[in-house]
Amino acid sequence: MIVNLECEMCHFEFDTELGKLEMDKTGTLIYEKKPTCPRCKAFDKVLITDKGFKQLNKWFLKYLDQITKKK
């Protein structure tokens, strides 16, 4: 899944592929690929932008639908 993020170090906003997303039992988001800032190369130091939050909300609604159908 592609999500819009902002680097905590240099504040550069970018889209990145996070791969497959899941949630653990405590509700923590787990993504397959750790993001790296394309500008300063900071590894896994990101904030979710407003656009990214909307993207993740769409994913979350689909995720909830999938897990409720499994039960």
Side-chain angles (χ1 to χ4, degrees), residues 29-65:
L29 185 63
I30 300 170
Y31 36 88
E32 180 179 27
K33 299 177 183 177
K34 302 290 184 191
T36 302
C37 176
R39 180 183 282 169
C40 75
K41 307 300 182 211
F43 179 73
D44 204 21
K45 298 282 186 186
V46 294
L47 304 169
I48 299 170
T49 63
D50 288 341
K51 180 180 175 183
F53 187 73
K54 290 175 187 171
Q55 293 165 325
L56 289 171
N57 276 342
K58 287 181 185 177
W59 169 84
F60 184 67
L61 292 174
K62 290 178 187 174
Y63 177 78
L64 284 178
D65 190 46

Side-chain angles (χ1 to χ4, degrees), residues 5-14 37 39-40 47:
L5 303 171
E6 180 182 336
C7 177
E8 284 185 67
M9 308 305 285
C10 71
H11 304 289
F12 182 67
E13 192 172 308
F14 60 99
C37 176
R39 180 183 282 169
C40 75
L47 304 169

